[in-house]
Amino acid sequence: MDQHIAALRATADAVHASNEGIATAEVTSIAYANALLDVGRKEEAGRLAIINYAPRGDREARLKLTYLAAYLIATGSTLTANEMNSLLEAPRGRASTSVS
């Protein structure tokens, strides 16, 4: 989760720098676009690592779902069908538990 948060902050910083005109003055627009794409890839990788993480207990499962809910609310984004299925699958070797 820390890596995902760092990637989100890097994305926000890059966009903020562009809005302030700092990034465009120091690098070309192509280099800036490539840097932003790289940051986006790191964010996606971090998000997928969290989605695919198999919690080791109820506490971790709740923490994972709370983090993802906060992320989705804060960003206004949604999960793909594959991401949702990954979240809903019960980890191997454990019975499915209901969340109340």
Side-chain angles (χ1 to χ4, degrees), residues 35-63:
L36 198 56
L37 183 62
D38 184 51
V39 169
R41 285 184 186 131
K42 288 178 183 176
E43 184 279 328
E44 180 182 20
R47 182 174 44 82
L48 290 175
I50 293 167
I51 288 171
N52 293 323
Y53 177 75
R56 293 178 285 180
D58 289 340
R59 182 183 179 285
E60 283 189 2
R62 287 187 185 101
L63 181 62

PDB file of all heavy atoms in Angstrom, residues 35-63:
ATOM      1  N   ALA A  35       7.385  10.458 -18.651  1.00  0.00           N
ATOM      2  CA  ALA A  35       7.522  10.378 -17.195  1.00  0.00           C
ATOM      3  C   ALA A  35       6.169  10.149 -16.544  1.00  0.00           C
ATOM      4  O   ALA A  35       6.043   9.338 -15.620  1.00  0.00           O
ATOM      5  CB  ALA A  35       8.172  11.647 -16.656  1.00  0.00           C
ATOM      6  N   LEU A  36       5.158  10.829 -17.028  1.00  0.00           N
ATOM      7  CA  LEU A  36       3.811  10.656 -16.486  1.00  0.00           C
ATOM      8  C   LEU A  36       3.290   9.251 -16.767  1.00  0.00           C
ATOM      9  O   LEU A  36       2.659   8.635 -15.904  1.00  0.00           O
ATOM     10  CB  LEU A  36       2.876  11.709 -17.085  1.00  0.00           C
ATOM     11  CG  LEU A  36       1.571  11.964 -16.370  1.00  0.00           C
ATOM     12  CD1 LEU A  36       1.795  12.347 -14.917  1.00  0.00           C
ATOM     13  CD2 LEU A  36       0.793  13.059 -17.069  1.00  0.00           C
ATOM     14  N   LEU A  37       3.586   8.719 -17.935  1.00  0.00           N
ATOM     15  CA  LEU A  37       3.194   7.354 -18.279  1.00  0.00           C
ATOM     16  C   LEU A  37       3.867   6.352 -17.354  1.00  0.00           C
ATOM     17  O   LEU A  37       3.235   5.403 -16.881  1.00  0.00           O
ATOM     18  CB  LEU A  37       3.546   7.063 -19.737  1.00  0.00           C
ATOM     19  CG  LEU A  37       3.137   5.706 -20.291  1.00  0.00           C
ATOM     20  CD1 LEU A  37       1.622   5.548 -20.253  1.00  0.00           C
ATOM     21  CD2 LEU A  37       3.635   5.569 -21.724  1.00  0.00           C
ATOM     22  N   ASP A  38       5.145   6.564 -17.063  1.00  0.00           N
ATOM     23  CA  ASP A  38       5.876   5.681 -16.157  1.00  0.00           C
ATOM     24  C   ASP A  38       5.264   5.707 -14.760  1.00  0.00           C
ATOM     25  O   ASP A  38       5.082   4.669 -14.133  1.00  0.00           O
ATOM     26  CB  ASP A  38       7.352   6.089 -16.097  1.00  0.00           C
ATOM     27  CG  ASP A  38       8.177   5.152 -15.247  1.00  0.00           C
ATOM     28  OD1 ASP A  38       8.099   3.913 -15.459  1.00  0.00           O
ATOM     29  OD2 ASP A  38       8.901   5.641 -14.362  1.00  0.00           O
ATOM     30  N   VAL A  39       4.924   6.890 -14.284  1.00  0.00           N
ATOM     31  CA  VAL A  39       4.296   7.025 -12.976  1.00  0.00           C
ATOM     32  C   VAL A  39       2.946   6.307 -12.983  1.00  0.00           C
ATOM     33  O   VAL A  39       2.586   5.617 -12.020  1.00  0.00           O
ATOM     34  CB  VAL A  39       4.138   8.513 -12.585  1.00  0.00           C
ATOM     35  CG1 VAL A  39       3.265   8.688 -11.376  1.00  0.00           C
ATOM     36  CG2 VAL A  39       5.494   9.140 -12.348  1.00  0.00           C
ATOM     37  N   GLY A  40       2.196   6.438 -14.054  1.00  0.00           N
ATOM     38  CA  GLY A  40       0.912   5.756 -14.182  1.00  0.00           C
ATOM     39  C   GLY A  40       1.051   4.248 -14.149  1.00  0.00           C
ATOM     40  O   GLY A  40       0.238   3.550 -13.531  1.00  0.00           O
ATOM     41  N   ARG A  41       2.087   3.744 -14.792  1.00  0.00           N
ATOM     42  CA  ARG A  41       2.339   2.293 -14.774  1.00  0.00           C
ATOM     43  C   ARG A  41       2.667   1.812 -13.364  1.00  0.00           C
ATOM     44  O   ARG A  41       2.226   0.742 -12.946  1.00  0.00           O
ATOM     45  CB  ARG A  41       3.486   1.945 -15.717  1.00  0.00           C
ATOM     46  CG  ARG A  41       3.111   1.984 -17.166  1.00  0.00           C
ATOM     47  CD  ARG A  41       4.269   1.528 -18.043  1.00  0.00           C
ATOM     48  NE  ARG A  41       3.955   1.705 -19.433  1.00  0.00           N
ATOM     49  CZ  ARG A  41       4.732   2.286 -20.328  1.00  0.00           C
ATOM     50  NH1 ARG A  41       5.920   2.749 -19.957  1.00  0.00           N
ATOM     51  NH2 ARG A  41       4.369   2.409 -21.570  1.00  0.00           N
ATOM     52  N   LYS A  42       3.440   2.594 -12.637  1.00  0.00           N
ATOM     53  CA  LYS A  42       3.777   2.224 -11.259  1.00  0.00           C
ATOM     54  C   LYS A  42       2.528   2.239 -10.377  1.00  0.00           C
ATOM     55  O   LYS A  42       2.352   1.366  -9.527  1.00  0.00           O
ATOM     56  CB  LYS A  42       4.838   3.165 -10.696  1.00  0.00           C
ATOM     57  CG  LYS A  42       6.201   2.941 -11.304  1.00  0.00           C
ATOM     58  CD  LYS A  42       7.222   3.911 -10.758  1.00  0.00           C
ATOM     59  CE  LYS A  42       8.564   3.703 -11.447  1.00  0.00           C
ATOM     60  NZ  LYS A  42       9.560   4.673 -11.018  1.00  0.00           N
ATOM     61  N   GLU A  43       1.654   3.211 -10.596  1.00  0.00           N
ATOM     62  CA  GLU A  43       0.410   3.267  -9.828  1.00  0.00           C
ATOM     63  C   GLU A  43      -0.444   2.050 -10.121  1.00  0.00           C
ATOM     64  O   GLU A  43      -0.979   1.409  -9.224  1.00  0.00           O
ATOM     65  CB  GLU A  43      -0.360   4.556 -10.160  1.00  0.00           C
ATOM     66  CG  GLU A  43      -1.623   4.756  -9.324  1.00  0.00           C
ATOM     67  CD  GLU A  43      -2.825   3.977  -9.808  1.00  0.00           C
ATOM     68  OE1 GLU A  43      -2.956   3.761 -11.029  1.00  0.00           O
ATOM     69  OE2 GLU A  43      -3.639   3.562  -8.959  1.00  0.00           O
ATOM     70  N   GLU A  44      -0.568   1.699 -11.398  1.00  0.00           N
ATOM     71  CA  GLU A  44      -1.374   0.537 -11.782  1.00  0.00           C
ATOM     72  C   GLU A  44      -0.791  -0.743 -11.192  1.00  0.00           C
ATOM     73  O   GLU A  44      -1.527  -1.585 -10.670  1.00  0.00           O
ATOM     74  CB  GLU A  44      -1.463   0.420 -13.300  1.00  0.00           C
ATOM     75  CG  GLU A  44      -2.296  -0.769 -13.740  1.00  0.00           C
ATOM     76  CD  GLU A  44      -2.350  -0.941 -15.244  1.00  0.00           C
ATOM     77  OE1 GLU A  44      -1.473  -0.406 -15.955  1.00  0.00           O
ATOM     78  OE2 GLU A  44      -3.281  -1.616 -15.701  1.00  0.00           O
ATOM     79  N   ALA A  45       0.524  -0.895 -11.245  1.00  0.00           N
ATOM     80  CA  ALA A  45       1.166  -2.089 -10.690  1.00  0.00           C
ATOM     81  C   ALA A  45       0.923  -2.186  -9.182  1.00  0.00           C
ATOM     82  O   ALA A  45       0.644  -3.269  -8.663  1.00  0.00           O
ATOM     83  CB  ALA A  45       2.666  -2.073 -10.986  1.00  0.00           C
ATOM     84  N   GLY A  46       1.001  -1.064  -8.502  1.00  0.00           N
ATOM     85  CA  GLY A  46       0.742  -1.061  -7.066  1.00  0.00           C
ATOM     86  C   GLY A  46      -0.696  -1.413  -6.751  1.00  0.00           C
ATOM     87  O   GLY A  46      -0.982  -2.185  -5.826  1.00  0.00           O
ATOM     88  N   ARG A  47      -1.628  -0.858  -7.514  1.00  0.00           N
ATOM     89  CA  ARG A  47      -3.050  -1.155  -7.317  1.00  0.00           C
ATOM     90  C   ARG A  47      -3.337  -2.626  -7.569  1.00  0.00           C
ATOM     91  O   ARG A  47      -4.020  -3.284  -6.782  1.00  0.00           O
ATOM     92  CB  ARG A  47      -3.898  -0.286  -8.249  1.00  0.00           C
ATOM     93  CG  ARG A  47      -5.389  -0.484  -8.074  1.00  0.00           C
ATOM     94  CD  ARG A  47      -6.192   0.494  -8.922  1.00  0.00           C
ATOM     95  NE  ARG A  47      -5.705   0.653 -10.281  1.00  0.00           N
ATOM     96  CZ  ARG A  47      -5.987  -0.171 -11.293  1.00  0.00           C
ATOM     97  NH1 ARG A  47      -6.762  -1.206 -11.088  1.00  0.00           N
ATOM     98  NH2 ARG A  47      -5.507   0.045 -12.491  1.00  0.00           N
ATOM     99  N   LEU A  48      -2.771  -3.184  -8.632  1.00  0.00           N
ATOM    100  CA  LEU A  48      -2.980  -4.603  -8.931  1.00  0.00           C
ATOM    101  C   LEU A  48      -2.351  -5.505  -7.875  1.00  0.00           C
ATOM    102  O   LEU A  48      -2.908  -6.552  -7.541  1.00  0.00           O
ATOM    103  CB  LEU A  48      -2.435  -4.939 -10.323  1.00  0.00           C
ATOM    104  CG  LEU A  48      -3.225  -4.342 -11.480  1.00  0.00           C
ATOM    105  CD1 LEU A  48      -2.531  -4.629 -12.804  1.00  0.00           C
ATOM    106  CD2 LEU A  48      -4.658  -4.844 -11.489  1.00  0.00           C
ATOM    107  N   ALA A  49      -1.216  -5.098  -7.334  1.00  0.00           N
ATOM    108  CA  ALA A  49      -0.590  -5.889  -6.265  1.00  0.00           C
ATOM    109  C   ALA A  49      -1.493  -5.934  -5.040  1.00  0.00           C
ATOM    110  O   ALA A  49      -1.622  -6.978  -4.391  1.00  0.00           O
ATOM    111  CB  ALA A  49       0.769  -5.307  -5.903  1.00  0.00           C
ATOM    112  N   ILE A  50      -2.140  -4.825  -4.737  1.00  0.00           N
ATOM    113  CA  ILE A  50      -3.060  -4.793  -3.602  1.00  0.00           C
ATOM    114  C   ILE A  50      -4.287  -5.657  -3.895  1.00  0.00           C
ATOM    115  O   ILE A  50      -4.719  -6.451  -3.062  1.00  0.00           O
ATOM    116  CB  ILE A  50      -3.478  -3.346  -3.280  1.00  0.00           C
ATOM    117  CG1 ILE A  50      -2.267  -2.568  -2.770  1.00  0.00           C
ATOM    118  CG2 ILE A  50      -4.609  -3.316  -2.250  1.00  0.00           C
ATOM    119  CD1 ILE A  50      -2.457  -1.073  -2.715  1.00  0.00           C
ATOM    120  N   ILE A  51      -4.847  -5.524  -5.079  1.00  0.00           N
ATOM    121  CA  ILE A  51      -6.030  -6.305  -5.450  1.00  0.00           C
ATOM    122  C   ILE A  51      -5.732  -7.795  -5.400  1.00  0.00           C
ATOM    123  O   ILE A  51      -6.539  -8.586  -4.910  1.00  0.00           O
ATOM    124  CB  ILE A  51      -6.540  -5.884  -6.845  1.00  0.00           C
ATOM    125  CG1 ILE A  51      -7.182  -4.497  -6.752  1.00  0.00           C
ATOM    126  CG2 ILE A  51      -7.522  -6.902  -7.417  1.00  0.00           C
ATOM    127  CD1 ILE A  51      -7.523  -3.872  -8.075  1.00  0.00           C
ATOM    128  N   ASN A  52      -4.568  -8.206  -5.877  1.00  0.00           N
ATOM    129  CA  ASN A  52      -4.222  -9.626  -5.942  1.00  0.00           C
ATOM    130  C   ASN A  52      -3.629 -10.172  -4.647  1.00  0.00           C
ATOM    131  O   ASN A  52      -3.402 -11.379  -4.535  1.00  0.00           O
ATOM    132  CB  ASN A  52      -3.258  -9.874  -7.106  1.00  0.00           C
ATOM    133  CG  ASN A  52      -3.936  -9.628  -8.435  1.00  0.00           C
ATOM    134  OD1 ASN A  52      -5.098  -9.932  -8.633  1.00  0.00           O
ATOM    135  ND2 ASN A  52      -3.202  -9.032  -9.358  1.00  0.00           N
ATOM    136  N   TYR A  53      -3.393  -9.318  -3.671  1.00  0.00           N
ATOM    137  CA  TYR A  53      -2.809  -9.755  -2.397  1.00  0.00           C
ATOM    138  C   TYR A  53      -3.804 -10.632  -1.642  1.00  0.00           C
ATOM    139  O   TYR A  53      -4.974 -10.293  -1.509  1.00  0.00           O
ATOM    140  CB  TYR A  53      -2.431  -8.542  -1.541  1.00  0.00           C
ATOM    141  CG  TYR A  53      -1.901  -8.911  -0.187  1.00  0.00           C
ATOM    142  CD1 TYR A  53      -0.616  -9.416  -0.049  1.00  0.00           C
ATOM    143  CD2 TYR A  53      -2.688  -8.776   0.944  1.00  0.00           C
ATOM    144  CE1 TYR A  53      -0.121  -9.765   1.196  1.00  0.00           C
ATOM    145  CE2 TYR A  53      -2.202  -9.121   2.186  1.00  0.00           C
ATOM    146  CZ  TYR A  53      -0.919  -9.618   2.308  1.00  0.00           C
ATOM    147  OH  TYR A  53      -0.437  -9.967   3.538  1.00  0.00           O
ATOM    148  N   ALA A  54      -3.332 -11.777  -1.158  1.00  0.00           N
ATOM    149  CA  ALA A  54      -4.163 -12.681  -0.366  1.00  0.00           C
ATOM    150  C   ALA A  54      -3.935 -12.375   1.114  1.00  0.00           C
ATOM    151  O   ALA A  54      -2.867 -12.684   1.646  1.00  0.00           O
ATOM    152  CB  ALA A  54      -3.810 -14.131  -0.676  1.00  0.00           C
ATOM    153  N   PRO A  55      -4.905 -11.757   1.768  1.00  0.00           N
ATOM    154  CA  PRO A  55      -4.746 -11.416   3.186  1.00  0.00           C
ATOM    155  C   PRO A  55      -4.501 -12.654   4.041  1.00  0.00           C
ATOM    156  O   PRO A  55      -5.006 -13.735   3.748  1.00  0.00           O
ATOM    157  CB  PRO A  55      -6.086 -10.771   3.553  1.00  0.00           C
ATOM    158  CG  PRO A  55      -6.693 -10.362   2.262  1.00  0.00           C
ATOM    159  CD  PRO A  55      -6.192 -11.332   1.242  1.00  0.00           C
ATOM    160  N   ARG A  56      -3.725 -12.475   5.106  1.00  0.00           N
ATOM    161  CA  ARG A  56      -3.397 -13.592   5.993  1.00  0.00           C
ATOM    162  C   ARG A  56      -4.377 -13.725   7.155  1.00  0.00           C
ATOM    163  O   ARG A  56      -4.207 -14.569   7.999  1.00  0.00           O
ATOM    164  CB  ARG A  56      -1.980 -13.434   6.523  1.00  0.00           C
ATOM    165  CG  ARG A  56      -0.939 -13.584   5.423  1.00  0.00           C
ATOM    166  CD  ARG A  56       0.430 -13.373   5.951  1.00  0.00           C
ATOM    167  NE  ARG A  56       0.599 -11.924   6.154  1.00  0.00           N
ATOM    168  CZ  ARG A  56       1.682 -11.359   6.616  1.00  0.00           C
ATOM    169  NH1 ARG A  56       2.712 -12.093   6.956  1.00  0.00           N
ATOM    170  NH2 ARG A  56       1.754 -10.055   6.750  1.00  0.00           N
ATOM    171  N   GLY A  57      -5.373 -12.897   7.167  1.00  0.00           N
ATOM    172  CA  GLY A  57      -6.362 -12.980   8.233  1.00  0.00           C
ATOM    173  C   GLY A  57      -7.443 -11.942   8.047  1.00  0.00           C
ATOM    174  O   GLY A  57      -7.423 -11.147   7.095  1.00  0.00           O
ATOM    175  N   ASP A  58      -8.395 -11.942   8.973  1.00  0.00           N
ATOM    176  CA  ASP A  58      -9.515 -11.005   8.879  1.00  0.00           C
ATOM    177  C   ASP A  58      -9.056  -9.553   8.945  1.00  0.00           C
ATOM    178  O   ASP A  58      -9.585  -8.700   8.236  1.00  0.00           O
ATOM    179  CB  ASP A  58     -10.531 -11.273   9.986  1.00  0.00           C
ATOM    180  CG  ASP A  58     -11.297 -12.565   9.758  1.00  0.00           C
ATOM    181  OD1 ASP A  58     -11.335 -13.048   8.609  1.00  0.00           O
ATOM    182  OD2 ASP A  58     -11.852 -13.091  10.733  1.00  0.00           O
ATOM    183  N   ARG A  59      -8.088  -9.256   9.809  1.00  0.00           N
ATOM    184  CA  ARG A  59      -7.618  -7.878   9.936  1.00  0.00           C
ATOM    185  C   ARG A  59      -7.045  -7.368   8.616  1.00  0.00           C
ATOM    186  O   ARG A  59      -7.359  -6.274   8.156  1.00  0.00           O
ATOM    187  CB  ARG A  59      -6.574  -7.771  11.039  1.00  0.00           C
ATOM    188  CG  ARG A  59      -6.082  -6.345  11.240  1.00  0.00           C
ATOM    189  CD  ARG A  59      -4.968  -6.275  12.300  1.00  0.00           C
ATOM    190  NE  ARG A  59      -4.479  -4.937  12.468  1.00  0.00           N
ATOM    191  CZ  ARG A  59      -3.672  -4.303  11.618  1.00  0.00           C
ATOM    192  NH1 ARG A  59      -3.267  -4.896  10.514  1.00  0.00           N
ATOM    193  NH2 ARG A  59      -3.264  -3.072  11.848  1.00  0.00           N
ATOM    194  N   GLU A  60      -6.190  -8.168   7.978  1.00  0.00           N
ATOM    195  CA  GLU A  60      -5.609  -7.773   6.693  1.00  0.00           C
ATOM    196  C   GLU A  60      -6.680  -7.666   5.611  1.00  0.00           C
ATOM    197  O   GLU A  60      -6.607  -6.792   4.751  1.00  0.00           O
ATOM    198  CB  GLU A  60      -4.513  -8.743   6.267  1.00  0.00           C
ATOM    199  CG  GLU A  60      -3.215  -8.554   7.001  1.00  0.00           C
ATOM    200  CD  GLU A  60      -2.073  -9.371   6.410  1.00  0.00           C
ATOM    201  OE1 GLU A  60      -2.277 -10.067   5.386  1.00  0.00           O
ATOM    202  OE2 GLU A  60      -0.977  -9.318   6.979  1.00  0.00           O
ATOM    203  N   ALA A  61      -7.663  -8.559   5.651  1.00  0.00           N
ATOM    204  CA  ALA A  61      -8.736  -8.518   4.657  1.00  0.00           C
ATOM    205  C   ALA A  61      -9.529  -7.219   4.789  1.00  0.00           C
ATOM    206  O   ALA A  61      -9.832  -6.556   3.786  1.00  0.00           O
ATOM    207  CB  ALA A  61      -9.661  -9.721   4.819  1.00  0.00           C
ATOM    208  N   ARG A  62      -9.838  -6.839   6.018  1.00  0.00           N
ATOM    209  CA  ARG A  62     -10.562  -5.580   6.231  1.00  0.00           C
ATOM    210  C   ARG A  62      -9.722  -4.373   5.824  1.00  0.00           C
ATOM    211  O   ARG A  62     -10.228  -3.413   5.241  1.00  0.00           O
ATOM    212  CB  ARG A  62     -10.997  -5.473   7.686  1.00  0.00           C
ATOM    213  CG  ARG A  62     -12.136  -6.396   8.028  1.00  0.00           C
ATOM    214  CD  ARG A  62     -12.662  -6.140   9.434  1.00  0.00           C
ATOM    215  NE  ARG A  62     -13.672  -7.110   9.763  1.00  0.00           N
ATOM    216  CZ  ARG A  62     -13.466  -8.172  10.525  1.00  0.00           C
ATOM    217  NH1 ARG A  62     -12.287  -8.407  11.053  1.00  0.00           N
ATOM    218  NH2 ARG A  62     -14.460  -9.009  10.773  1.00  0.00           N
ATOM    219  N   LEU A  63      -8.442  -4.410   6.157  1.00  0.00           N
ATOM    220  CA  LEU A  63      -7.551  -3.316   5.793  1.00  0.00           C
ATOM    221  C   LEU A  63      -7.473  -3.169   4.274  1.00  0.00           C
ATOM    222  O   LEU A  63      -7.543  -2.060   3.735  1.00  0.00           O
ATOM    223  CB  LEU A  63      -6.158  -3.541   6.385  1.00  0.00           C
ATOM    224  CG  LEU A  63      -5.114  -2.480   6.110  1.00  0.00           C
ATOM    225  CD1 LEU A  63      -5.537  -1.145   6.713  1.00  0.00           C
ATOM    226  CD2 LEU A  63      -3.767  -2.910   6.691  1.00  0.00           C
TER     227      LEU A  63
END
